[in-house]
Amino acid sequence: TVTHATPAGCYAHTPERNWENDAMLSPPARAAGFPDIARQLVEEKHGDGIDVVLGGGRANFLPAPGGSRGDGRDLVAEWRKRFPAGRYASSRDELIALDAKQARPVLGLFTPEHMSYEIERKSAVPPSEPSLAEMTGKALDVLTRSPKGFFLMVEGGRIDHGHHAGNAQRALTETIELAHAVKVALEKTNPNDTLIVVTADHSHTLTISGYPKRGNPILGLVVGSNGEGAAGGEPVKDLTGRPYTTLSYANGPGYTGKSDAQPEGAKRFPHRPTTVEGVKLGRPELSNAQVQDPDYLQEAPVALGAETHAGEDVPIYAGGPGAALFHGVQEQNFVYHALAAALGLATP
C-alpha cells in the first residue's frame, strides 16, 4: 500500500520520469502503448490497486480544458467507476472531512501541477491545499485499519525544488514541514510494530559558513564573535567590505551578475536565467531585512539556471522493528535491501 504525498522531487535527467501524462510520451513509447504515470496509478494491476494517493498533478489525470491529457481520457472519472466505494478529494476541506473509517481507496489531487510551497500554502486564508503533515495523518488514519499492515511513502518533494531555485528559505521551510509529517507518523503508529525510515536521495550545494555568533538567524547576515566568544554587534565584512550571509550555494541562480531576467545585484525568487553577464559592481550591499525576505536567493559564485545536486553522503534515520539494519556507510541501493529484509521479503 503506497501513498505519494507530492509529485516527483528532482529535475529530470531521463525522459521516462517526465511521462506524467500521455502527451509527454516519446513517439516510440506512444506507438507501443506505454502507459503514462497517471495511467499507471489508476490502472494498477497488482492486488486491488493502490489504497491511498495524495498530492498534486491533477492536470495529468484530466483532458482539456483544465487538464493536460491528449487522449481525452478523464482518469479521475475512470478511477471513481473502478472504485465506487472509494473517495476522491480535490481540496483540503474535502480531505479533512473524509471519514477514514469508511474511505478506502482514497485519491486526492489538490493542485493542477506541483503542490504549493508551504510558505504560499499557509499564506492562503483559509488554505485550499492540505499540508504534508495533514496528508500523512489522513493516509495513516486510512491505512492503519489494515490488519495485515501497510507500506506508506511520504515525500517532501519541494525541499528539492527550493534548493534548485537557490532559495534556502523555501527549502528549509519545506524541511520543517517534513519534520512535522514525521512527528505525525510517530504519533499515529506503534514503535513496536512500525518501522519508520527517513532519508534523502541526494544532497545539494547549500553551505554554512562565516562563524556566526550563537543564536544568529540562520537566514541572516553573519554577526561574529571575538576570540573569547563575546558576540559582536555589527555584521562581519568580507575583504571587499561587504557583509555576507551564513548560507550560500556553490552554484545556481543566485549569481549576482546581470541576467536576461534580472539586473545585477541580489536575485529574487523566481529566477531562471538563460544568459548571465559577469559581475561588474562587486558583491551587493546586503541588509538583514533583504536576506531574510522569503524571496531572497542566496549568493552563488557559479552562475547556473538552477542549482545542482551535490555529492556528499546523506543521513538515514530509522526507528522500530528492523531499524538495526540501517547502520554505517552504505550505497543507496542498500536501502531497498534493508527495507525488504525488514518486511520479511529477503534475508538480512
Side-chain angles (χ1 to χ4, degrees):
T1 301
V2 178
T3 180
H4 200 175
T6 60
C10 307
Y11 286 96
H13 298 292
T14 59
E16 291 83 358
R17 66 180 300 163
N18 279 341
W19 294 351
E20 297 177 359
N21 62 64
D22 66 302
M24 304 172 81
L25 295 173
S26 67
R30 189 176 296 108
F34 189 90
D36 56 82
I37 295 173
R39 272 187 59 195
Q40 291 177 48
L41 284 172
V42 171
E43 298 174 356
E44 173 64 56
K45 304 299 182 183
H46 299 285
D48 57 356
I50 298 175
D51 293 297
V52 181
V53 177
L54 303 174
R58 185 170 58 232
N60 298 303
F61 293 76
L62 301 174
S68 303
R69 300 198 63 81
D71 56 11
R73 294 176 61 177
D74 184 336
L75 297 184
V76 173
E78 293 183 24
W79 182 89
R80 284 173 149 168
K81 183 177 181 180
R82 180 183 179 189
F83 302 107
R87 295 292 183 272
Y88 172 70
S90 61
S91 69
R92 177 177 182 265
D93 288 344
E94 291 177 358
L95 181 68
I96 291 175
L98 187 148
D99 184 355
K101 295 181 179 180
Q102 302 296 326
R104 190 166 181 171
V106 176
L107 175 63
L109 301 173
F110 306 106
T111 57
E113 301 298 336
H114 290 297
M115 300 288 284
S116 297
Y117 286 104
E118 183 65 9
I119 288 176
E120 281 86 16
R121 188 197 74 83
K122 292 175 65 175
S123 67
V125 182
S128 61
E129 303 171 39
S131 68
L132 192 66
E134 289 170 338
M135 289 189 286
T136 301
K138 185 63 72 171
L140 286 169
D141 289 342
V142 174
L143 298 175
T144 50
R145 293 164 37 210
S146 173
K148 295 183 179 180
F150 60 90
F151 173 84
L152 169 66
M153 176 181 174
V154 178
E155 180 184 7
R158 304 235 73 181
I159 300 172
D160 178 80
H161 290 178
H163 283 312
H164 281 307
N167 183 232
Q169 184 154 170
R170 279 176 173 78
L172 296 181
T173 302
E174 293 298 312
T175 305
I176 292 170
E177 182 55 30
L178 176 62
H180 291 162
V182 174
K183 182 174 184 290
V184 168
L186 291 169
E187 293 171 345
K188 287 183 174 287
T189 58
N190 185 338
N192 294 321
D193 60 24
T194 305
L195 171 66
I196 295 179
V197 179
V198 183
T199 190
D201 53 341
H202 55 73
S203 65
H204 282 269
T205 68
L206 182 69
T207 67
I208 299 177
S209 63
Y211 299 128
K213 68 178 182 179
R214 184 181 297 275
N216 203 64
I218 190 63
L219 294 167
L221 298 173
V222 170
V223 175
S225 60
N226 62 22
E228 286 71 44
E234 297 296 326
V236 176
K237 303 293 181 66
D238 69 4
L239 294 180
T240 70
R242 305 291 175 89
Y244 57 93
T245 57
T246 302
L247 300 181
S248 61
Y249 286 96
N251 60 44
Y255 182 76
T256 59
K258 179 183 177 181
S259 74
D260 56 339
Q262 295 186 22
E264 180 166 355
K267 297 300 185 288
R268 292 180 59 80
F269 177 89
H271 183 224
R272 293 295 301 273
T274 57
T275 61
V276 174
E277 297 179 8
V279 175
K280 299 177 180 178
L281 304 177
R283 290 191 53 249
E285 187 70 47
L286 301 171
S287 69
N288 264 308
Q290 180 182 22
V291 300
Q292 294 186 64
D293 185 287
D295 290 339
Y296 171 73
L297 301 190
Q298 279 66 31
E299 289 181 69
V302 177
L304 292 177
E307 180 266 356
T308 69
H309 299 161
E312 66 265 39
D313 292 339
V314 297
I316 183 166
Y317 307 95
L325 295 170
F326 299 89
H327 60 82
V329 178
Q330 306 285 353
E331 295 291 338
Q332 62 179 12
N333 57 27
F334 168 82
V335 178
Y336 163 78
H337 295 287
L339 286 173
L343 290 169
L345 302 177
T347 301

